[in-house]
Amino acid sequence: MTWCKDSFFIRKSYLFCVINQVLFALVGKAKEVGTKFGKNKTTCIFAQIYTCMYLSENTPEAQAMRENVINLVKSQEEHNTTLAIQLMKGGGFVPETAVHLWRRAIEDTTLKKEVLQLFKNNLPEQAFDYIKLSFEYGENLPIFAMRYFDKLVQFEGFGWDDLTDHILPYAFENSSNMTIRVKDYFLQHPDTNKLKVMRAMITYSTQLDLQDLSLERLPEDIGELQELTYLSLYNTKISELPESFYTLSKLDYFNVYYTPLEKKADFLPTLKAKAPKMWAYYLSQNMNTNRIDEIEKICNEVLTVLPDHFDTFTSLISNLSNYKKYKTVTKYAERYAHHTTDDNYYGKMIADAWYEEMEYEKAADLHEKIAKSSAYSESYRDLCKSYLKINKTKNAIKTAKEAIAYDTTDMLNHASLIDAYIADKDFSKAYQAGKKALEEDGEKGGILRRMGIVCAALGKTNESDTFYEKLLKSRFNEEESLFARAQVYEERGDDKNAFKWYKKALDTGYIYSQEARLAMGYLHLKKKQYPQAECMFYEVAQRETENFVYDGYLGLACAGVLQNDIPFALESLAKAVQESRSCKERAKTEPYLEAIRQEPLFQELVG
């Protein structure tokens, strides 16, 4: 058949119908957009037959076809994009597709050649040169955007909104050069939609970092970014928040450090009134205090609003544990029992608190769960220690062996096994375990001292003395050996040498420093050197975030009694027993406290 121009246009609507149907099938349209046609349809004519400028005509059919071409490109599917390019080669360029095609060519290099050829044939030469240049910037595409977007927007199809919606997100996401200068440029530009720019800056789908920008206000419609879970306004010039900000229901982290907003007296009250959950999240992340009583108060306020907020619970437990508030830790552990084993790190803190409060069954149960889910030397040793307190010596032995199997070079694991056998009164196996530890380079103070105890229990007096002498004469300067040596001297009644080696242990390291101070304090009491003893105990008591703080107060109570300062003694005793059940139990039998045992306050504190 021979076609002429006139006959083509006569049958143009039929051809349009066919192409229209093909396009709808490809983009999955539910209904036909465009004009309706009669029953006669041509079924074997392709897009390439179009006249050169058909898509540019001002007719309903052409307009509908342009929409279809745009939809093909927006679908972001390779075959649809390829078809759209072919249609535009035959029917004329659709400027509204320019930015979308550019983005597709950046993302998919297989399309780059065809897209650039289409642009070369249809875009102004300068616009084409800019687009071609963009491919040379690679990961520095944001720099290109900052330099050339202002030039591109003068050309049809390259509006600021399209560039912000489609090119900036890709540029920001794939750039290693997202500088403050680049972000500031687009947020301060008079022609950009600030919300669109911020949407382009979102990372990980939910996080917006505006830190250090010259931003003075958030867009009034910031509330449209409902996906936000993280927002940093750190060191910006923000002084107030738009109303829509308070509707960001998923926002569980934001900070306003070093902003004028942070200093406004009504910031937190307004936040609490308009968005209580957001206020609670903010408080949990911005406590701004080192005082444990204030930390506890803030955490309580947060947990009142967000009872299942695990981060706040763990922050509370961590801070209370650091300050050795064991009784308070167990109180919260009871209240929020469903959180107890959500995280082994914090679960251990709670288990340790149960142990310090002499709730050994609870400590063992929790240490057991931790050891099962996170097996490592310390978790096994913790469990072993708890088992010994509830007389489950066989379980303790088994657990100590598991610790050694995990790390045979860790002498603390071997020491745990020896202790377990001693508790089980199986001194023969304790001896064998000690020998094995010595073979593993275990000639450390703790192992040697334990071997002295074991040999004495087995009636091997000479060998026991040999181990003790080896320890006392050893040149080991590591802290454990020095401390163990001091203990042996004290057990033998040699207070002078005991004090000397406790002092060396204190001067040498940190691990046993508090225990050494306590031991030296009681040696001073024994010598009736009360001021010196008080200084040692005070050193321990004032270190609120270290172990033995309550033992320090108990020592001060003893020093107070011996100096006949009963009010001071009772005040120190109150501090010792308020958070430490072990100190409370020790106070019941401590000989130095005999003079105040009948005091009403003593009875109230200790029972």
Side-chain angles (χ1 to χ4, degrees), residues 310 313-314 317 329-352 354 362-363 365-367 369-370 373:
F310 184 63
F313 172 75
T314 52
I317 294 301
V329 168
T330 59
K331 178 183 73 176
Y332 284 108
E334 289 282 0
R335 188 185 305 176
Y336 300 101
H338 59 295
H339 280 327
T340 301
T341 55
D342 283 1
D343 185 294
N344 285 329
Y345 177 73
Y346 297 103
K348 172 178 163 48
M349 289 183 181
I350 294 169
D352 289 347
W354 284 127
K362 291 180 179 178
D365 286 345
L366 191 45
H367 279 311
K369 292 176 183 176
I370 293 169
S373 64

Side-chain angles (χ1 to χ4, degrees), residues 344-407:
N344 285 329
Y345 177 73
Y346 297 103
K348 172 178 163 48
M349 289 183 181
I350 294 169
D352 289 347
W354 284 127
Y355 186 91
E356 292 296 331
E357 281 300 292
M358 302 175 72
E359 295 280 358
Y360 300 123
E361 290 280 358
K362 291 180 179 178
D365 286 345
L366 191 45
H367 279 311
E368 213 169 58
K369 292 176 183 176
I370 293 169
K372 285 179 180 177
S373 64
S374 181
Y376 57 98
S377 289
E378 190 176 7
S379 65
Y380 286 128
R381 291 199 300 269
D382 286 340
L383 179 56
C384 181
K385 185 174 66 172
S386 295
Y387 278 147
L388 291 178
K389 287 295 185 180
I390 56 178
N391 297 317
K392 289 187 175 181
T393 54
K394 302 299 184 188
N395 296 56
I397 291 168
K398 179 184 175 184
T399 304
K401 287 180 177 179
E402 289 174 335
I404 292 172
Y406 180 84
D407 185 357

Side-chain angles (χ1 to χ4, degrees), residues 291-549:
R291 288 184 53 184
I292 188 60
D293 56 336
E294 292 180 0
I295 291 172
E296 186 179 355
K297 179 183 176 183
I298 291 169
C299 287
N300 267 315
E301 290 179 333
V302 172
L303 289 168
T304 300
V305 179
L306 302 168
D308 293 322
H309 192 228
F310 184 63
D311 286 347
T312 297
F313 172 75
T314 52
S315 175
L316 174 61
I317 294 301
S318 179
N319 279 288
L320 289 170
S321 296
N322 287 341
Y323 281 88
K324 314 307 171 191
K325 300 285 187 179
Y326 301 120
K327 186 184 294 184
T328 310
V329 168
T330 59
K331 178 183 73 176
Y332 284 108
E334 289 282 0
R335 188 185 305 176
Y336 300 101
H338 59 295
H339 280 327
T340 301
T341 55
D342 283 1
D343 185 294
N344 285 329
Y345 177 73
Y346 297 103
K348 172 178 163 48
M349 289 183 181
I350 294 169
D352 289 347
W354 284 127
Y355 186 91
E356 292 296 331
E357 281 300 292
M358 302 175 72
E359 295 280 358
Y360 300 123
E361 290 280 358
K362 291 180 179 178
D365 286 345
L366 191 45
H367 279 311
E368 213 169 58
K369 292 176 183 176
I370 293 169
K372 285 179 180 177
S373 64
S374 181
Y376 57 98
S377 289
E378 190 176 7
S379 65
Y380 286 128
R381 291 199 300 269
D382 286 340
L383 179 56
C384 181
K385 185 174 66 172
S386 295
Y387 278 147
L388 291 178
K389 287 295 185 180
I390 56 178
N391 297 317
K392 289 187 175 181
T393 54
K394 302 299 184 188
N395 296 56
I397 291 168
K398 179 184 175 184
T399 304
K401 287 180 177 179
E402 289 174 335
I404 292 172
Y406 180 84
D407 185 357
T408 189
T409 64
D410 190 335
M411 288 301 108
L412 291 176
N413 295 340
H414 290 277
S416 293
L417 182 58
I418 298 170
D419 290 341
Y421 279 129
I422 291 174
D424 199 42
K425 300 191 182 306
D426 192 339
F427 296 105
S428 294
K429 287 188 177 178
Y431 181 82
Q432 293 170 13
K435 283 289 189 179
K436 188 173 181 180
L438 293 172
E439 291 171 4
E440 291 281 351
D441 192 28
E443 291 197 355
K444 301 285 181 71
I447 300 296
L448 292 171
R449 180 170 173 270
R450 283 174 173 83
M451 286 300 286
I453 294 170
V454 170
C455 287
L458 289 170
K460 299 180 178 183
T461 308
N462 290 337
E463 192 172 354
S464 174
D465 288 342
T466 299
F467 279 116
Y468 282 136
E469 291 303 318
K470 190 172 186 178
L471 171 62
L472 297 177
K473 293 178 180 179
S474 70
R475 295 183 179 181
F476 294 124
N477 287 323
E478 48 89 20
E479 200 174 344
E480 182 188 5
S481 293
L482 297 174
F483 187 79
R485 197 177 309 180
Q487 287 179 305
V488 171
Y489 278 121
E490 187 173 5
E491 288 164 0
R492 291 182 167 189
D494 188 344
D495 293 343
K496 182 178 179 181
N497 273 315
F499 191 91
K500 169 187 172 182
W501 289 102
Y502 279 132
K503 180 70 166 59
K504 285 190 176 184
L506 176 62
D507 293 340
T508 301
Y510 173 79
I511 298 173
Y512 290 91
S513 60
Q514 298 297 77
E515 291 175 270
R517 285 190 178 96
L518 286 170
M520 291 165 70
Y522 281 103
L523 287 174
H524 279 306
L525 288 183
K526 196 173 178 181
K527 294 179 180 180
K528 298 184 180 180
Q529 297 170 339
Y530 304 134
Q532 292 92 322
E534 192 173 314
C535 289
M536 284 293 173
F537 294 137
Y538 184 75
E539 276 286 313
V540 177
Q542 73 171 349
R543 298 170 188 260
E544 292 184 317
T545 61
E546 295 185 15
N547 293 324
F548 306 104
V549 56

Side-chain angles (χ1 to χ4, degrees), residues 62-258:
Q63 177 59 39
M65 183 59 87
R66 284 196 295 272
E67 290 297 324
N68 288 334
V69 170
I70 293 169
N71 288 333
L72 281 170
V73 175
K74 285 183 177 180
S75 74
Q76 297 189 20
E77 295 181 13
E78 184 178 352
H79 60 278
N80 286 351
T81 304
T82 301
L83 179 56
I85 292 171
Q86 294 304 316
L87 287 169
M88 285 189 280
K89 282 182 180 179
F93 186 64
V94 180
E96 291 86 348
T97 65
V99 172
H100 296 279
L101 287 171
W102 182 16
R103 167 74 179 263
R104 292 288 290 121
I106 294 172
E107 293 176 322
D108 186 350
T109 55
T110 61
L111 293 170
K112 177 181 172 183
K113 185 176 179 180
E114 280 197 276
V115 170
L116 286 179
Q117 187 61 50
L118 184 69
F119 283 173
K120 184 176 182 180
N121 294 337
N122 293 278
L123 291 180
E125 182 180 353
Q126 196 171 24
F128 171 70
D129 288 342
Y130 293 148
I131 299 297
K132 189 177 179 182
L133 182 63
S134 70
F135 290 93
E136 298 178 15
Y137 274 76
E139 291 185 355
N140 293 312
L141 195 57
I143 304 299
F144 168 88
M146 191 170 67
R147 293 185 60 186
Y148 292 102
F149 273 13
D150 265 322
K151 296 182 169 95
L152 272 170
V153 292
Q154 64 183 298
F155 301 107
E156 186 180 5
F158 294 91
W160 268 112
D161 281 354
D162 284 332
L163 292 172
T164 307
D165 284 341
H166 304 294
I167 303 299
L168 273 190
Y170 179 86
F172 289 170
E173 183 179 350
N174 294 278
S175 174
S176 59
N177 195 21
M178 263 304 296
T179 62
I180 293 171
R181 178 168 166 253
V182 171
K183 292 180 179 180
D184 254 340
Y185 175 82
F186 290 105
L187 285 173
Q188 301 299 327
H189 196 288
D191 295 330
T192 57
N193 180 308
K194 306 306 179 282
L195 186 71
K196 287 179 179 287
V197 173
M198 287 184 183
R199 193 184 294 281
M201 290 167 58
I202 292 176
T203 57
Y204 304 109
S205 303
T206 63
Q207 299 182 10
L208 180 57
D209 184 1
L210 303 176
Q211 178 174 325
D212 296 325
L213 300 185
S214 305
L215 200 63
E216 295 184 358
R217 60 187 301 121
L218 291 173
E220 292 297 323
D221 49 359
I222 186 73
E224 291 185 22
L225 301 181
Q226 283 294 314
E227 67 270 32
L228 285 186
T229 61
Y230 173 103
L231 174 63
S232 175
L233 302 177
Y234 181 95
N235 197 32
T236 61
K237 298 176 182 178
I238 299 288
S239 59
E240 60 183 33
L241 298 170
E243 279 300 311
S244 69
F245 172 84
Y246 301 104
T247 67
L248 294 171
S249 58
K250 296 179 182 177
L251 192 65
D252 57 19
Y253 177 88
F254 77 102
N255 73 58
V256 292
Y257 284 154
Y258 302 107

Side-chain angles (χ1 to χ4, degrees), residues 257-268:
Y257 284 154
Y258 302 107
T259 66
L261 178 64
E262 181 189 24
K263 299 173 183 177
K264 295 183 74 171
D266 64 342
F267 165 56
L268 283 176

